[in-house]
């Protein structure tokens, strides 16, 4: 079950003409990314009352979901959630304030968790301007139009970068930074084993530990590191005026 959260604003760095119409009627900061707009679980909102009744806050609306571990994202009055129904992954857009479905887009999936956990997506949708990015459990990276749900581009990262399948599938939410979508890929040389069991734990990198894509086209902008992928999501920071990307990869922390 998913319950109503706050609605607000997102995509301030994108020209206004490219943004979806803002359908929010209440003030509040958007939550367009994993752990919020700063990826640290904090909101800049003030004046929120926590004087709740003993049974908790009143439920405004609720909706039945499929399987998965992905938290929803909220931008410009829309709530996006990514889950699995049968043999399909679905990205659904709803009115954040009412729960009314605006659109949904489904993609086939055959992911089967190696350790028997549920087979749904692990990564939160990421909203940036008029784009929503999803990263499925089997490594399909997709960009969808945030207003109408039309596909924009897709990359099968497992196939493209020869990723040796890890225990729990893909669980690292991509990071938007400027014109880039930065992804914890962890690829290996071609012709390698299909999964970590077949590799007997000996998995090699191929310089695609972290890959940056042009967020509008899906084209590769740069590749870095032989580190393998983890379940930790990249984060951006500015230190002494210099922009950094930090990725806590499988073998340790990488600073780029």
């Amino acid at each position: 079950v998913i319950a109503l959260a706050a609605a607000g604003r997102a995509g301030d760095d994108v020209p206004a003409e490219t943004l979806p119409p803002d359908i929010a009627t209440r003030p509040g900061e958007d939550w367009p990314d994993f752990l919020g707009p700063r990826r640290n679980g904090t909101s800049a909102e003030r004046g929120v009352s926590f004087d709740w009744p003993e049974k908790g806050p009143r439920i405004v609306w609720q909706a039945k979901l499929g399987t998965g571990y992905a938290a929803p994202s909220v931008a410009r009055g829309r709530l996006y959630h990514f889950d699995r129904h049968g043999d399909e992954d679905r990205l659904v857009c709803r009115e954040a304030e009412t729960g009314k479905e605006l659109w949904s887009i489904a993609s086939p999936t055959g992911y089967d968790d190696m350790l028997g956990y549920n087979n749904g997506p692990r990564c939160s949708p990421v909203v940036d301007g008029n784009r929503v990015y999803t990263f499925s459990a089997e490594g399909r990276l997709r960009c969808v139009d945030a207003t109408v749900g039309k596909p924009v581009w897709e990359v099968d990262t497992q196939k493209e970068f020869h990723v040796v399948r890890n225990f729990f599938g893909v669980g690292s939410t991509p990071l938007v930074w400027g014109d880039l979508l930065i992804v914890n890929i962890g690829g290996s040389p071609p012709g390698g084993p299909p999964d970590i069991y077949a590799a007997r734990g000996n998995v090699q990198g191929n310089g695609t530990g972290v890959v940056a894509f042009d967020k509008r086209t899906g084209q590769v902008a740069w590749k870095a590191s032989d580190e393998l992928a983890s379940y930790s999501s990249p984060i951006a920071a500015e230190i002494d005026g210099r922009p950094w990307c930090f990725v806590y990869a499988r073998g340790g922390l990488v600073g780029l």
Side-chain angles (χ1 to χ4, degrees), residues 17-256:
E17 64 270 19
T18 68
L19 296 177
D22 192 338
I23 60 175
T25 65
R26 304 175 184 179
E29 186 175 40
D30 271 358
W31 203 261
D33 201 348
F34 175 62
L35 293 180
R38 287 162 289 279
R39 288 206 164 193
N40 62 2
T42 65
S43 171
E45 291 188 47
R46 296 290 185 269
V48 178
S49 173
F50 293 99
D51 186 18
W52 294 340
E54 186 175 341
K55 293 183 179 180
R58 179 176 62 90
I59 294 175
V60 178
W61 61 263
Q62 60 185 22
K64 187 176 181 179
L65 300 184
T67 58
Y69 299 99
S73 300
V74 177
R76 301 183 70 77
R78 296 167 175 80
L79 182 143
Y80 302 87
H81 58 87
F82 187 39
D83 51 15
R84 179 169 176 170
H85 299 258
D87 293 330
E88 292 182 333
D89 285 332
R90 293 184 193 171
L91 174 63
V92 179
C93 174
R94 300 178 183 272
E95 288 184 356
E97 296 177 16
T98 68
K100 176 185 176 182
E101 184 174 318
L102 299 176
W103 56 258
S104 69
I105 182 170
S107 306
T109 179
Y111 176 76
D112 187 22
D113 190 86
M114 296 168 66
L115 295 183
Y117 288 79
N118 91 44
N119 298 322
R122 284 89 164 104
C123 301
S124 296
V126 177
V127 188
D128 175 68
N130 198 32
R131 293 166 298 278
V132 184
Y133 302 98
T134 60
F135 201 17
S136 73
E138 70 266 60
R140 290 189 178 272
L141 183 65
R142 298 183 176 96
C143 176
V144 174
D145 182 289
T147 306
V148 297
K150 181 180 178 181
V152 179
W153 56 261
E154 176 179 337
V155 177
D156 183 346
T157 63
Q158 188 173 40
K159 180 180 179 180
E160 183 75 17
F161 303 104
H162 316 288
V163 177
V164 176
R165 185 177 170 190
N166 202 14
F167 294 112
F168 304 111
V170 172
S172 176
T173 300
L175 169 71
V176 173
W177 187 81
D179 291 330
L180 302 177
L181 184 69
I182 300 174
V183 189
N184 186 2
I185 296 288
S188 293
D195 58 54
I196 196 167
Y197 287 131
R200 298 181 181 273
N202 184 24
V203 182
Q204 304 299 316
N206 69 345
T208 60
V210 183
V211 179
F213 300 85
D214 183 306
K215 69 181 183 182
R216 294 181 175 85
T217 66
Q219 297 298 309
V220 173
W222 54 256
K223 300 174 283 187
S225 178
D226 285 331
E227 286 290 346
L228 302 175
S230 68
Y231 306 112
S232 178
S233 301
I235 191 166
E238 185 172 303
I239 302 174
D240 293 333
R242 179 179 180 178
W244 286 83
C245 174
F246 292 104
V247 180
Y248 196 34
R250 198 177 311 178
L253 182 64
V254 178
L256 303 169

